[in-house]
Amino acid sequence: MKTKLKVGGATKAPDYCFTLAGTKKFFVEAKKPSVNIKTDILPAYQVRRYGWSAKLAIVIVTDFEEFAIYDCNKKPNLKDKASVCRIKYMTYTDYVKEFDFIYETFAKKQILKGSFDKYIQSDVKKRGTTTVDNEFLKEIESWRKYLATSFALRNKQLTDDEINYAVQKTIDRIIFLRICEDRSIEKYGRLKETLRNGNYYKNLFDIFDQADKKYNSGLFDFKKDKLTQTLTVDNKVVKNIISQLYYPDSPYEFSVFPIDILGHVYERFLGKIIRLTPAHYAKIEEKPEVRKAGGVYYTPNYIVDYIVENTVGKLIKNKTPKQIEKIKICDPACGSGSFLIGAYQYLLNYHLKYYTNLNKGLQPLIHKKLVTPDGNLTTAEKKRILLNNIYGVDIDSQAVEVAKLNLLLKALEGKTKASINTQLSLFNERVLPSLNENIKCGNSLIGSDFYDAQATLFPEQIKKINAFDWEKQFPEIFENGGFDVVIGNPPYFRIDDKKFESNYLRTKFKTTEFKVDIYTLFIEHFINLGFEKFGFIIPNTIMTNLTDRKLRKLILRKTHIHEIINYKIRVFDQAVVHSMIIILDKNLKNRNIRVKQISVNNEETFNIKQDDFLKNNNFSFDIRLFGKNITLFEKI
């Protein structure tokens, strides 16, 4: 696939992106023969920057006379010599003797056999690895510190909530527009133009106002946001942040920056909060719930993809877009939106494939409204799918805003400045939808009936509880039976019985017994609310813990366990417990469970009768007694 690379505002061509089944494998940048690939610093920096931003393992730069392969696991630096991270170099005189290596590693036929993956696992060096998400997290954490300090010193009237809101909004807006610049949706360098003179922070709002007229995303809604325009920020703070986002100071190439990576960065970023000291200094500290849970763990892409494929994928299989329109997908603890982005991307891929296959049968005018001449879904179709199908809830207002941001950036993929201007001029229609009715802030487990049982509550307690009534918040969906697909990675931490909401939770949820982990309440809640397909990643302790006995009984009697995947390896690097995926549906006639156990060097798959779990006293999902062990167990 041919692509273009923007470096420092200028578009370099030609560059090539080699993909397999839609997954980027490596980039190749072609240079003029006059370029000295062996010694020139700039070509190496450019191609490493591109590959590192896309989180690829390797990239290639060549002028045919020379051919160099670079490891992209180390953060690129403009001062690096051309030899830094170069893992193979050859000239045209070497091609005959190196032909077997080139073919075996990069030929499509061989890549399908896994040769490329073996090469990057065995030959690519991992020393000095600094992934793009870790580096970008450090970057935006430093921006938060700069902004929070300046906001606190120059705006003494701010409360804790206001300073967190202002900092988050400012960072979100800057990142959104900077990504749009590298994607050629916005003029390259517009943000940098605000640093020319005057008050840099105030200058930003000229661009923000124009963005509101263009995008309608809610991100730039100054009818709702009455705060940020009134604040004062030091020029040097704004300059520091914006300067770090541009070539050559910035190692990031946002045109290839994966949106799911941005989601992973934000999940960890949102684990901390700004607190104001009595002297009105800004202090950044970990959120109490994050400390309690032992940290923030973002869900790996392969987990998201698997759950989406086996819930959303199973439900929409062989359906028409008109039928899919009625399907509602929800993540009730959506965080920065990784599962929602995964579901949205799956729907986009499905629709594009559907329309492409039907292309011959579609009238040109109809087809033009669905697919662009370059083979992408139109903005209108992307908006329709997003608004019809994707929903999320989170108790953290900042997480909700980030989830919206990530989904909107996903909706903008493939857009150009020209196509956006056409949409604005011809249809007088702003580019992006408002997601306020789709992604909402609230407590997924506590309804407004909580307040009825309380004699008195302080305003800060009401705010902290943030009660959420599903039927009232999504009335049309629940009038039609509720959400069809529920997916996600709910929070893991035990209920603190000293807190005033614990009695409510223990009364409302009938499976609570002894010490209760919050993720189990999410499962019970949605079994009661209803679904067609359900997929969570949760601790595998649920399978045998005595405290989860009642929940297992509810699952076994009210749902069909379609699949259990038990990981005997760490899915989350720093987590104490191992994880499992559980896929449920409401096909109660099917009583077969597919079980997969994954360890470091082995993968075992077998089937279990669901009713076998009902036979033991604690309804344990004791999969150890099945598979290879069942014959021995029966003999004993």
Side-chain angles (χ1 to χ4, degrees):
M1 183 176 79
K2 191 172 180 179
T3 186
K4 290 188 176 182
L5 167 61
K6 260 179 53 176
V7 179
T11 302
K12 304 286 184 179
D15 295 294
Y16 301 89
C17 173
F18 288 79
T19 66
L20 190 65
T23 301
K24 292 184 178 74
K25 288 294 185 179
F26 58 93
F27 296 130
V28 174
E29 186 172 355
K31 292 294 183 184
K32 296 177 181 178
S34 58
V35 174
N36 191 326
I37 286 173
K38 187 174 184 179
T39 59
D40 286 358
I41 290 174
L42 195 56
Y45 176 65
Q46 288 175 350
V47 75
R48 285 178 56 207
R49 182 175 182 261
Y50 200 32
W52 185 73
S53 295
K55 211 172 182 181
L56 298 182
I58 66 164
V59 287
I60 296 169
V61 59
T62 182
D63 61 357
F64 186 77
E65 181 188 7
E66 299 170 274
F67 184 98
I69 303 174
Y70 282 92
D71 175 1
C72 296
N73 287 290
K74 185 177 180 182
K75 182 180 178 181
N77 189 309
L78 189 56
K79 296 179 181 179
D80 289 340
K81 292 180 179 180
S83 59
V84 171
C85 290
R86 187 164 62 207
I87 54 178
K88 196 168 186 68
Y89 172 83
M90 65 184 88
T91 69
Y92 71 96
T93 60
D94 303 314
Y95 288 161
V96 173
K97 68 179 181 181
E98 293 283 1
F99 180 80
D100 286 347
F101 162 75
I102 295 171
Y103 179 81
E104 292 294 334
T105 308
F106 299 110
K108 180 179 179 180
K109 182 179 178 181
Q110 299 306 112
I111 290 176
L112 286 167
K113 292 180 179 179
S115 61
F116 178 81
D117 294 330
K118 288 178 183 176
Y119 170 67
I120 63 175
Q121 288 168 13
S122 62
D123 287 20
V124 176
K125 311 301 181 191
K126 300 298 181 184
R127 295 173 190 170
T129 296
T130 50
T131 60
V132 65
D133 44 354
N134 288 331
E135 287 299 313
F136 196 62
L137 175 63
K138 291 178 188 176
E139 207 88 78
I140 64 173
E141 282 183 333
S142 71
W143 303 343
R144 173 169 55 192
K145 183 178 179 181
Y146 295 149
L147 282 169
T149 301
S150 189
F151 277 138
L153 290 175
R154 306 299 176 207
N155 307 271
K156 297 292 186 181
Q157 77 282 7
L158 287 178
T159 64
D160 283 10
D161 289 336
E162 286 172 336
I163 197 170
N164 277 283
Y165 174 84
V167 168
Q168 187 71 55
K169 276 290 186 186
T170 304
I171 291 175
D172 290 351
R173 288 163 179 165
I174 289 172
I175 288 175
F176 177 86
L177 291 172
R178 183 64 189 86
I179 290 175
C180 287
E181 285 185 17
D182 268 5
R183 291 184 180 178
S184 300
I185 297 171
E186 290 285 333
K187 175 188 170 186
Y188 183 85
R190 283 199 75 203
L191 286 169
K192 209 168 186 178
E193 290 173 2
T194 63
L195 309 180
R196 289 178 178 174
N197 52 57
N199 185 316
Y200 300 165
Y201 181 70
K202 297 298 181 187
N203 293 344
L204 283 172
F205 283 87
D206 294 335
I207 299 176
F208 293 166
D209 284 331
Q210 293 173 37
D212 183 46
K213 294 181 178 70
K214 183 184 291 188
Y215 298 109
N216 185 37
S217 66
L219 186 59
F220 305 97
D221 185 355
F222 295 106
K223 292 179 181 177
K224 184 178 178 181
D225 171 19
K226 303 290 186 183
L227 175 67
T228 55
Q229 290 186 87
T230 66
L231 303 178
T232 301
V233 182
D234 292 333
N235 270 2
K236 64 180 181 181
V237 173
V238 178
K239 184 177 181 180
N240 187 301
I241 293 171
I242 291 178
S243 296
Q244 289 177 24
L245 284 167
Y246 285 92
Y247 179 92
D249 296 334
S250 169
Y252 310 105
E253 173 52 51
F254 291 107
S255 63
V256 297
F257 202 84
I259 298 306
D260 59 322
I261 295 297
L262 191 62
H264 295 168
V265 169
Y266 262 121
E267 281 187 27
R268 288 181 286 169
F269 179 76
L270 294 172
K272 294 180 181 178
I273 196 167
I274 304 163
R275 298 284 186 203
L276 291 170
T277 67
H280 216 263
Y281 287 104
K283 182 181 179 183
I284 297 168
E285 58 187 39
E286 208 169 46
K287 290 178 178 176
E289 62 269 27
V290 172
R291 279 200 305 272
K292 193 170 184 179
V296 176
Y297 309 110
Y298 67 80
T299 312
N301 289 349
Y302 72 92
I303 297 291
V304 173
D305 293 344
Y306 192 90
I307 290 176
V308 168
E309 168 71 33
N310 286 278
T311 53
V312 178
K314 299 292 185 188
L315 196 57
I316 70 172
K317 187 176 180 181
N318 298 325
K319 286 185 168 61
T320 66
K322 192 68 179 174
Q323 292 170 319
I324 293 171
E325 189 176 298
K326 300 175 183 178
I327 292 173
K328 308 301 178 183
I329 302 161
C330 180
D331 182 347
C334 67
S336 63
S338 58
F339 275 90
L340 298 181
I341 290 169
Y344 185 37
Q345 184 64 63
Y346 193 94
L347 290 172
L348 294 177
N349 293 343
Y350 183 93
H351 281 78
L352 182 59
K353 185 176 180 180
Y354 182 91
Y355 295 139
T356 302
N357 290 341
L358 286 183
N359 187 18
K360 294 179 181 178
L362 288 174
Q363 295 178 14
L365 184 62
I366 298 174
H367 181 63
K368 192 174 180 181
K369 291 181 180 179
L370 301 173
V371 182
T372 63
D374 58 354
N376 291 310
L377 291 177
T378 61
T379 303
E381 184 64 2
K382 285 183 177 181
K383 286 165 65 174
R384 185 191 70 80
I385 294 167
L386 181 55
L387 290 175
N388 273 332
N389 300 114
I390 303 297
Y391 296 83
V393 177
D394 200 277
I395 195 170
D396 187 331
S397 60
Q398 289 179 301
V400 166
E401 293 305 313
V402 170
K404 291 179 185 176
L405 169 69
N406 288 334
L407 285 165
L408 293 171
L409 284 168
K410 175 60 71 175
L412 273 178
E413 282 185 346
K415 296 299 296 178
T416 64
K417 188 176 181 180
S419 64
I420 286 174
N421 288 340
T422 300
Q423 184 173 332
L424 290 167
S425 59
L426 290 182
F427 304 106
N428 194 28
E429 178 187 359
R430 290 191 284 184
V431 178
L432 292 171
S434 170
L435 295 178
N436 291 339
E437 294 305 311
N438 291 63
I439 315 298
K440 299 194 176 190
C441 184
N443 191 323
S444 290
L445 301 176
I446 296 181
S448 58
D449 59 333
F450 171 83
Y451 302 134
D452 300 337
Q454 307 298 322
T456 57
L457 277 175
F458 296 110
E460 59 267 23
Q461 290 176 315
I462 293 174
K463 183 178 179 183
K464 184 178 179 182
I465 291 298
N466 199 6
F468 188 85
D469 296 314
W470 285 88
E471 291 87 350
K472 291 179 181 177
Q473 292 291 337
F474 300 109
E476 291 184 9
I477 291 174
F478 281 93
E479 283 171 10
N480 291 294
F483 288 100
D484 302 283
V485 179
V486 179
I487 51 178
N489 176 13
Y492 316 153
F493 60 87
R494 285 181 174 172
I495 293 175
D496 186 346
D497 286 326
K498 295 178 182 178
K499 292 192 173 181
F500 60 96
E501 64 265 33
S502 66
N503 287 337
Y504 170 89
L505 293 172
R506 286 187 177 276
T507 302
K508 178 177 180 178
F509 294 98
K510 307 304 180 186
T511 62
T512 56
E513 195 172 17
F514 309 112
K515 293 180 179 179
V516 179
D517 201 308
I518 206 80
Y519 77 86
T520 64
L521 306 186
F522 276 87
I523 298 173
E524 179 184 341
H525 197 38
F526 277 90
I527 288 176
N528 293 331
L529 284 177
F531 56 78
E532 288 296 316
K533 299 286 183 182
F534 176 101
F536 270 6
I537 180 156
I538 53 176
N540 66 4
T541 51
I542 191 177
M543 292 197 286
T544 54
N545 263 3
L546 185 61
T547 56
D548 298 323
R549 176 180 176 274
K550 289 183 179 179
L551 179 61
R552 288 192 296 271
K553 182 179 179 182
L554 180 70
I555 292 171
L556 291 170
R557 291 190 169 173
K558 291 291 186 72
T559 76
H560 164 236
I561 304 175
H562 176 76
E563 187 171 31
I564 290 173
I565 301 181
N566 184 37
Y567 290 95
K568 295 182 177 181
I569 55 176
R570 298 284 182 200
V571 172
F572 304 102
D573 291 339
Q574 298 175 345
V576 177
V577 297
H578 283 125
S579 304
M580 63 174 277
I581 291 174
I582 186 166
I583 308 286
L584 308 176
D585 60 49
K586 287 300 182 74
N587 181 14
L588 299 184
K589 293 181 180 179
N590 187 349
R591 304 302 285 175
N592 289 317
I593 303 172
R594 182 171 182 263
V595 178
K596 187 185 290 185
Q597 298 217 73
I598 299 175
S599 57
V600 176
N601 298 313
N602 186 43
E603 184 175 305
E604 183 187 8
T605 303
F606 50 91
N607 291 322
I608 296 176
K609 295 286 186 184
Q610 184 162 318
D611 292 336
D612 287 346
F613 288 156
L614 282 166
K615 293 175 183 177
N616 62 66
N617 291 333
N618 293 318
F619 310 104
S620 298
F621 302 171
D622 201 341
I623 59 179
R624 295 172 299 177
L625 301 181
F626 295 88
K628 292 178 180 177
N629 299 323
I630 188 65
T631 305
L632 176 61
F633 175 70
E634 287 175 346
K635 285 182 179 179
I636 293 172

